[in-house]
Amino acid sequence: HLGLELFLLGSSASNRFSIRDIARASLQRLAEQTGDTVYLFVRSGMDALCVDRVEGHFPIRTLSLDIGGRRPLGVSSGSLALLAALGDDEVEQVLSANSERYARFGCRPEDVARMVSATRRDGHAISDGMVVPGMCAVAVAVRDRSGLPVAAITVGAISQRMDAARRVQIVAQMAAEARRIEQALQPLATPQRKRRAARAT
């Protein structure tokens, strides 16, 4: 069903073009600050879609996913950050829809549900060797004014570079950039809200 898939990818790219442009400077800053690889994910159905990637200067790079690559929601830190930012009912729908796919990554829906709870509690997602052995990644969600996720920022590195102290530092840097992106997105939403209000009157 290549035709349908290309249509979905095209629709996603069209709808998310502004978020990629706005987030680019934040990704570049994070890559410079951390030296590691930084990814931008958006939701695409039951998947997280990688729409941008910036490589840091550290010589050992974790290029686990190319732009256009996908992960089931709940697998990898970026997709987990997106999933955890959804409402409980929608999380249950995703867990059910992706249950068979999770098995390919050695986990079950109940495992992902526990990771969702941990992500909500900690304020960030973490994936340590789940997708790529020896790789650790952390992620935070970027939300709209209603609190729904529009994207997730991920920083990935070899596990040796992701001790607890460094993770805390990187999460703080990512959270600051997520707030920058959220603030930049607000003016873009204003004309859309005005058009909806005009149609409703």
Side-chain angles (χ1 to χ4, degrees):
H1 303 288
L2 184 59
L4 177 60
E5 182 67 3
L6 286 174
F7 171 77
L8 291 173
L9 281 172
S11 297
S12 176
S14 174
N15 293 335
R16 303 295 185 174
F17 183 71
S18 59
I19 181 69
R20 182 180 178 184
D21 283 354
I22 290 173
R24 183 70 183 187
S26 289
L27 301 190
Q28 290 174 330
R29 275 191 295 269
L30 286 169
E32 291 169 2
Q33 291 167 354
T34 66
D36 297 313
T37 306
V38 186
Y39 301 84
L40 182 69
F41 289 92
V42 298
R43 183 181 179 183
S44 177
M46 296 298 167
D47 292 345
L49 174 67
C50 178
V51 294
D52 206 357
R53 184 180 77 184
V54 178
E55 299 172 26
H57 55 76
F58 190 72
I60 303 176
R61 298 176 183 176
T62 53
L63 306 181
S64 60
L65 202 63
D66 294 327
I67 295 174
R70 293 171 175 266
R71 298 281 190 225
L73 283 173
V75 173
S76 81
S77 61
S79 68
L80 182 58
L82 288 171
L83 179 61
L86 299 174
D88 290 342
D89 290 344
E90 198 162 7
V91 168
E92 287 299 323
Q93 292 173 9
V94 172
L95 294 178
S96 177
N98 282 343
S99 59
E100 294 184 3
R101 302 172 70 197
Y102 291 147
R104 303 174 199 168
F105 298 90
C107 61
R108 302 164 297 172
E110 52 265 40
D111 299 323
V112 178
R114 284 193 290 271
M115 290 189 286
V116 165
S117 297
T119 298
R120 290 173 171 176
R121 180 195 67 219
D122 299 337
H124 66 275
I126 182 168
S127 174
D128 194 354
M130 182 178 183
V131 179
V132 180
M135 174 187 169
C136 182
V138 289
V140 298
V142 177
R143 302 170 185 261
D144 62 17
R145 279 189 170 182
S146 66
L148 294 175
V150 294
I153 305 170
T154 295
V155 173
I158 56 174
S159 296
Q160 294 92 318
R161 283 174 59 78
M162 278 289 191
D163 59 50
R166 190 164 188 266
R167 286 201 305 266
V168 170
Q169 178 184 1
I170 291 175
V171 167
Q173 292 168 329
M174 286 195 300
E177 293 300 340
R179 302 296 86 79
R180 285 176 185 258
I181 297 169
E182 289 168 351
Q183 291 171 3
L185 284 171
Q186 289 181 11
L188 295 180
T190 302
Q192 295 174 0
R193 285 196 295 270
K194 287 181 178 179
R195 286 195 294 270
R196 291 194 198 105
R199 288 197 296 268
T201 57

